[in-house]
Structures are given as structure tokens and as C-alpha cells.
Amino acid sequence: MLEFYKKQHLYPKVQFIVIAKNGEVTASDDNLFPLEPGSDIAEFHPFFESVIPLLADKNTQLSYYCIHIKDKICDVDCKTFEGKDPLIVIHDLTEHYESLQLVTQMRNETVIESEILSLQNTYLQEKEAFKRTFIANFSHELRNPLTGIFSFTEMLEKTHLSDEQYDLVEVVKSLCQDLNIMIEDILDLSKIEVGKFFTKDEVFDFDEMLDTVNFIYSTKARQKNLNFQIHRDEKIPQYIEGDQSRIKQLLANTIENAIKFTDEGQVDLYLKLNNKRANKVNIQFEITDTGIGIAKKDLNDIFTSFTQVHKDNKYPGSGLGLAIVKNLVTLMEGNISAESELGKGTSIRFNLKLKFPLHHREKQKKKTQESDILFNNPDKYSILLIEDNKISQIIVLKILASQGAFFLDIAENGAQAMERVEENDYDLILMDLRLPDISGYELAPLIRDLPEKKYAKTPIVALSGSMMGDGKNDYKKAGINDILQKPFQELQLLKQLKKFFK
Ligand code: ADP
């Protein structure tokens, strides 16, 4: 029985052949190949033709590897003896060589594949680097002509234009401004990506920064009937060391989004001290809203450049804001995350590692500007700005924010303005003369004639774009107290206000 099994599993792998010196087969066990005694071994396979002459020497042993004989791959040993015929031993190593070949082939393929991958990687990296440098250079080049267009438009604005021409110039200026913001954003991003973006370390008054943020965004939120509130952790030091303008940029991008994507309810900024060690602080900023929210599947994409998950024209944008936020936060060694529920609202949370001065003496401001000291009233003056042009809105907003002495509401047209004046008591009204639905000369008398003559004496200052505005000399008849010519400087506006708030 055992022999039967052995026969099935042990099959011969070696053949012994004895040959004469001329190559004639004298004996063979035919284990691998049948060989007729008396036949010429060179005829059996041409390999042996070259071996036969070497068999003349006595007592030699020659070994040959990986010889293809018929359908097998073999090693061949040839031995000569003194006074005896030479012996040829053929070892069938087909399986061994074939598996070796497979392994070698696989190894070669892996090596080739990894070389291809590394080549592709280098190619992609070079392409990416080229793209970044190209974008950085190109955006930089775009700035010059754009600055040119902007300054010439400003010059044109100061010439004698009709009201219609003035409005067209304002549109060009506004488009330039949009383009400029986009170019600055792209430049910031590419600078961060190529490692050429540096943040500044300067000591600044955190509370003063929050006051400005509060003024700007509560004004913007009120325009949409939203409520904006800052919740400050008292443990955060008043003076912080870091890049104030970049922190403001982080807050601007996230809070602007929160206001943009919220139609009803509340936008909040929560500030929490995560930890404070030596002269280091870790502050958490969380911006929450009660807006339209973001679907779970889109949440990871919001930090990618040029990605907008709400493709509705109602929400304009470039999809760069949050990409910049993420890059800046990473640069300032922080983390960022987002949580959201569709229809319920969104929360963007990031933390920053900042420093704070252990002993801070308030630095004397280098040069006190005239505009710095104009207003120091303890009770804030409440002002209504009636203006549809976004640039003018921002200009007034920034000038008033710098004083910390005002409360500002913005109405974009006559109808909104009437609603606001009926509901509130303003100390002064700033009004553009050309509004989308009515002219300032018509709107002012409507305000003056409100029931109980509520606004009979409230100062109304008109903002006029065109030098040639119709009826410019009749403004007093319409109940307007004074006219401020656009474009105006910070000090011009503040002095104008000061005239009425003595
Ligand atoms: P955009 O210029 O479009 O605002 P961002 O990079 O700031 O670009 O934001 C990317 C996208 O993420 C937005 O287009 C919007 O779809 C979504 N998003 C950002 N913030 C909010 C938010 N507070 N609520 C809802 N969606 C948001």
C-alpha cells in the first residue's frame, strides 16, 4: 500500500546518464528523458555538443544551471573519472525555477510600479508647485492694472458727472472692489501654500478689537433683522500678542458667512479660554448661527477652495473664505471643526495658540490723529444710514466703528428707512440722495412729516455723489440740514457729525 502511495507522490527528479568520450550514450536510467543506448547525446540536445569536448579531462566536475531541456528547466552536472566513462546528472528543477521566476517577475513589477508612482508623484508635485507659483505671480500681476482702474475711477468720480454717470462709476468701483478682495484671497492662499505667509506678533487690546467686531457685525445683522452677540469669557486677558488683522480676518469670514446664510434668528460669537500657561493662552472661538445649515455629506468640503455647497444665486461668494480660515488657523497652530444641521444652523469652532504680555503698560500712541479724539461721549449716539451702495456703507461703518461712540442702523432704500424711523429714535440721519426707490429730496420731507413731528428737528445730512445733483441748492427746502460730498475722508464725516453733537 505504502509503495502505491509513494509511487503517486514521489516522481523522479534526477536522471543519471553515462556516455562515452565521443558523446555516445552507454547507459541511462531514463528517469526524465528516454535515451537509446548508442545514441548521440548531442543529438538529444545541442547543449551537450559544447560539453563533450570538456569531458576529455580527468577528474573534473562541471555544473551548469538553468538549462532548458525539452519542456524542463534543469541543472546539469558533468563528472569525469580516471579510467571510467563520464557521468552526466540532470536535475529537474522546473518547479523551483518557475516559482523563482514568478517571484522575480512580481518583484520586478513592484519595483517598476513604485518607480512609476514616484515619477508620477514628482510630476504632480512639480505641476502643483508650478500652479501655485503661477497663481501667486499671476494674481500679483493682476493687482497693478486693477489698482490703476480703481484710482482712475476715483479720479473720474470727482469730475463733473451727471447722476447717471456717477452711478455707473460707482458700479465699476464696486466691481473693482469685489475683484480686489478675490485676488487678495487667492494671494493669501497661495502664499500660505508655498510657505511664504508670515503672521505678525504684536500686543493689542483684545477688548477694543471685540468692540469693533461687535459694532460692524451687529450693524450688519440688524440689516437682516438678526441679533448678533459676543459672549466673552472673562478669564481671557485684555491684552493679547498675535496677529490682530488676521484674527479679525478669521472672524470676518466666519461671521459674514453666519449672517449671510441665516434669514432668521441669531448669530453668536463665543470666546472661551481653553488654557493659560506662562505667557501663553489658547482661546477658542465659536461662531454659531440659526441659519440654513449644511448637509452632513458636504461638511468636509466647506474648507476646500472654490467650494460652495449652496449653489443658489441668493448667496454670492467665491468659496475661498473658509479655505483661508482653515489655512490661517493651521498656520497659527490651531484646529478647526464644523458642526451643522440642515435647517437648524451651523457652528464653526477654532482655537488659536496666542501669547499675552505678563506686564503690559499701554503704549502711548505714536501720533494722535485729529479724528481719534473727536468723540468721547459716554452715551452712544444712534445714527441711521440710508444708503444702498455697499462700499459707502462699509466706509461709514468703519469710520464710526473707530470712534466707539455710535450705534448704527442701515436702511438700503426709502421704504426700509421709513420702517426704521417709525420704530426707532435716531439722533441723526445720514442719507444718500439717490436711492433705488426714491430721491433724498422726496424722502426727507416724508421723515419730517411723520406723526407727532417725531423727526422735526433731527439732523438729516445728505450724502451726494454727483457734483451736479439736481436741485442741490434746494436741500434746505426739503428739510435737509447739510450735504456731504462723496467721496469723503474720515475727518470730514466726523466733523460733519460733530457739528450736530456738541
Ligand atoms: P463663500 O464665499 O461661498 O461664503 P466660504 O469658503 O466662506 O465661501 O464657504 C464655503 C461654503 O460653505 C459656502 O458657499 C456655503 O455653502 C457653506 N457655508 C459656510 N458657512 C456657512 C454657514 N454658516 N451656514 C451655511 N453654510 C455655510
Side-chain angles (χ1 to χ4, degrees), residues 17 19-25 35-36 38-53 55 69-70 88:
I17 308 162
I19 56 168
K21 293 226 165 52
N22 62 359
E24 195 184 302
V25 177
L35 285 173
E36 287 289 319
S39 62
D40 186 355
I41 193 146
E43 301 236 320
F44 161 63
H45 194 281
F47 161 74
F48 294 102
E49 211 170 320
S50 48
V51 176
I52 294 165
L55 300 180
I69 301 173
K70 309 285 180 195
I88 292 178

Side-chain angles (χ1 to χ4, degrees), residues 185 253-262 287-295 298-299 301-312 315-325 339-340 342 345-348:
D185 281 354
N253 289 6
T254 44
I255 302 173
E256 298 255 2
N257 274 348
I259 295 177
K260 179 162 72 175
F261 294 104
T262 304
I287 299 91
T288 64
D289 64 58
T290 52
I292 59 172
I294 303 163
D298 294 327
L299 216 48
D301 297 335
I302 60 172
F303 298 112
T304 313
S305 345
F306 300 108
T307 305
Q308 293 181 286
V309 298
H310 304 99
K311 307 222 165 37
D312 190 334
Y315 306 109
S318 59
L320 288 171
L322 287 184
I324 291 179
V325 170
E339 277 174 37
S340 190
L342 266 185
T346 302
S347 151
I348 306 278

